[in-house]
Amino acid sequence: MDSLITAAARALAAGDPLGALNRVALRDDAPALALRGIAMAQLGDFARAKSLLRRAGRGFGVKEAVARARCVVAEAEIALVSRELDWPARMLDAARMTLEQHGDQVNAAHARYLEIRRLLLIGRLDEAERLLAGLAPAAFPPALRAAHELVAAGIAIRRLHTKAARSALTRAARAARLAGIPGLTAEVASAVQVLETPAARLIERGAERPLLLADVEALLVSKHFIIDACRHVVRDAKTVVSLARRPVLFALARALAEAWPGDVTRDRLVARAFGARHADDSHRARLRVEIGRLRRMLRPLAGVSATQQGFVLMPRHARSVVVLARPVEERHADVLAFLADGEAWSSSALALALDASQRTVQRALDALAAGGKVQSFGHGRARRWMTPPVPGFTTTLLLPAPLPNG
């Protein structure tokens, strides 16, 4: 490797893509193309970066398996950042194995972190945690140690283990300072901010207040009877009843919880559950049926008693009833939660992350775009969607991952 290639590689490792380009911008040999591709990726020109990396991969000879594998890893990172979550994971796994066989443990570990970050994005936390446990970051350079701690913090945040998340972010900040890469330091600071901004709202006895993630974690192990509108479950400290596939029952449960300890009139329940402006006999008959179903679902946790005007919720063990509501009430809040990271997503990537059909996601995006909440650029398969983060809120509780005991 000549001196210019070495200097460019060091510049990239230090987070200086312009310095790297100054050294190799006019060269078309395979090592220079690979470094140019990585530099363009750091500058945000992903299309150009992918083209350069593919040219570099074709330019390396048969005996340069490690160099080709590094190009695959770099291309996988670009796919992750540009939210191409359907990028062939088998190529990354094969590249990682090649790097391990040739003793390039640092780049092999980097490939593994990319795999874990993808799993984290699509909510497969158990698998991500298992793969992360197989890595020992102590021997890695500071930048990779920071990446390890960021992933660990991401898993802890999604699981609402805020103390573990804060500890991981403290270690990540320390490693980022040692690495001296501004972008990495900014990424850690952004992750820390998630713990310091409201993640949900607590509605209790007609009043509401914002909750941090640590507050939500404490609430879920408290003695309250909780109507969790972030995951559409009903819970106390020991029992969880999912109503995620029973939207009418959940609407009734939430209406009863918001009015507790008072009752809710039958007309009000009909409006909340069925969207009817005026209740007739058929609505009231349907309400009786749905209330009966709700009683059966909630039997371990609470009863639903009839009153002269309507119905009232009667918790069996909890001292009070609260509603854990989303920070922003929005029909397509789960889609906005992913777009709030500031990255450009394709509808196919969103469908994969949400475990929904692409057509369902596209309809949600069209509705959000009509309301001016998201915007798109590009056409066809290259179309991407994005939105600025919701100011003052973290959207962790809108992402598809089970809460504790969920």
Side-chain angles (χ1 to χ4, degrees), residues 9-252:
R10 288 174 177 169
L12 286 176
D16 180 17
L18 294 178
L21 287 175
N22 283 337
R23 293 171 173 85
V24 296
L26 299 179
R27 293 178 51 168
D28 285 325
D29 53 296
L33 288 172
L35 293 174
R36 285 169 58 191
I38 296 171
M40 296 307 295
Q42 290 186 8
L43 292 172
D45 189 346
F46 299 136
R48 180 64 174 159
K50 286 190 291 186
S51 175
L52 288 167
L53 286 167
R54 288 171 182 171
R55 285 176 59 193
R58 292 192 297 267
F60 285 115
V62 177
K63 296 183 179 180
E64 297 174 293
V66 171
R68 292 202 308 274
R70 289 173 181 170
C71 289
V72 171
V73 172
E75 189 177 347
E77 184 167 16
I78 292 170
L80 181 70
V81 173
S82 56
R83 298 302 186 255
E84 296 177 11
L85 301 184
D86 54 353
W87 192 85
R90 287 179 294 181
M91 291 179 59
L92 179 62
D93 194 52
R96 179 187 56 79
M97 293 176 63
T98 297
L99 293 169
E100 286 179 346
Q101 292 167 2
H102 289 80
D104 189 352
Q105 299 303 324
V106 171
N107 280 301
H110 181 56
R112 181 65 88 186
Y113 285 127
L114 294 177
E115 182 180 0
I116 295 171
R117 286 169 58 192
R118 177 182 176 276
L119 292 171
L120 182 58
L121 272 178
I122 61 178
R124 292 163 61 177
L125 302 189
D126 291 339
E127 191 173 349
E129 198 166 36
R130 178 180 60 80
L131 293 179
L132 187 68
L135 293 167
F140 297 155
L144 211 53
R145 293 204 302 272
H148 180 98
E149 300 300 346
L150 279 170
V151 171
I155 293 173
I157 287 171
R158 295 283 287 275
R159 292 195 184 282
L160 283 186
H161 299 162
T162 54
K163 185 176 181 180
R166 198 174 294 278
S167 297
L169 289 173
T170 299
R171 295 190 296 270
R174 189 182 307 121
R177 285 194 298 271
L178 291 174
I181 301 175
L184 187 58
T185 302
E187 186 177 357
V188 175
S190 177
V192 170
Q193 195 63 27
V194 171
L195 299 176
E196 308 297 338
T197 52
R201 293 176 296 124
L202 181 71
I203 303 174
E204 183 177 13
R205 296 177 184 266
E208 66 176 68
R209 60 184 175 88
L211 297 181
L212 302 179
L213 280 176
D215 300 327
V216 176
E217 182 182 13
L219 176 67
L220 295 183
V221 296
S222 70
K223 295 182 179 180
H224 293 289
F225 178 81
I226 304 167
I227 307 298
D228 185 346
C230 298
R231 289 293 186 270
H232 291 88
V233 300
V234 179
R235 65 192 307 153
D236 60 16
K238 297 181 179 179
T239 307
V240 178
V241 175
S242 176
L243 298 178
R245 298 185 182 275
R246 309 294 293 271
V248 170
L249 298 189
F250 185 82
L252 291 172

Side-chain angles (χ1 to χ4, degrees), residues 226-393:
I226 304 167
I227 307 298
D228 185 346
C230 298
R231 289 293 186 270
H232 291 88
V233 300
V234 179
R235 65 192 307 153
D236 60 16
K238 297 181 179 179
T239 307
V240 178
V241 175
S242 176
L243 298 178
R245 298 185 182 275
R246 309 294 293 271
V248 170
L249 298 189
F250 185 82
L252 291 172
R254 178 168 178 174
L256 291 169
E258 289 178 352
W260 188 89
D263 61 356
V264 185
T265 66
R266 289 170 175 81
D267 287 353
R268 178 62 179 158
L269 288 172
V270 165
R272 287 288 296 268
F274 311 137
R277 293 185 179 182
H278 305 288
D280 56 25
D281 290 342
S282 65
H283 287 126
R284 294 188 182 94
R286 184 182 175 193
L287 178 63
R288 289 193 295 272
V289 172
E290 297 297 347
I291 287 291
R293 291 171 176 165
L294 184 62
R295 284 194 180 107
R296 289 193 294 273
M297 295 291 290
L298 298 188
R299 187 170 292 130
L301 301 172
V304 180
S305 299
T307 66
Q308 185 174 359
Q309 299 297 323
F311 296 91
V312 63
L313 194 63
M314 305 290 290
R316 301 191 188 284
H317 312 293
R319 62 186 182 187
S320 63
V321 177
V322 300
V323 175
L324 180 66
R326 294 175 169 183
V328 179
E329 295 288 354
E330 164 63 51
R331 181 183 177 189
H332 304 297
D334 49 356
V335 176
L336 282 176
F338 282 101
L339 295 177
D341 66 1
E343 301 292 347
W345 287 73
S346 66
S347 58
S348 60
L350 286 168
L352 179 61
L354 290 165
D355 193 22
S357 73
Q358 189 170 348
R359 182 58 189 149
T360 298
V361 171
Q362 189 62 56
R363 283 196 295 266
L365 289 169
D366 290 340
L368 290 169
K373 297 175 181 178
V374 301
Q375 58 187 2
S376 65
F377 59 91
H379 300 281
R381 294 174 63 88
R383 194 178 193 188
R384 295 293 182 270
W385 298 84
M386 64 186 304
T387 185
V390 179
F393 290 102

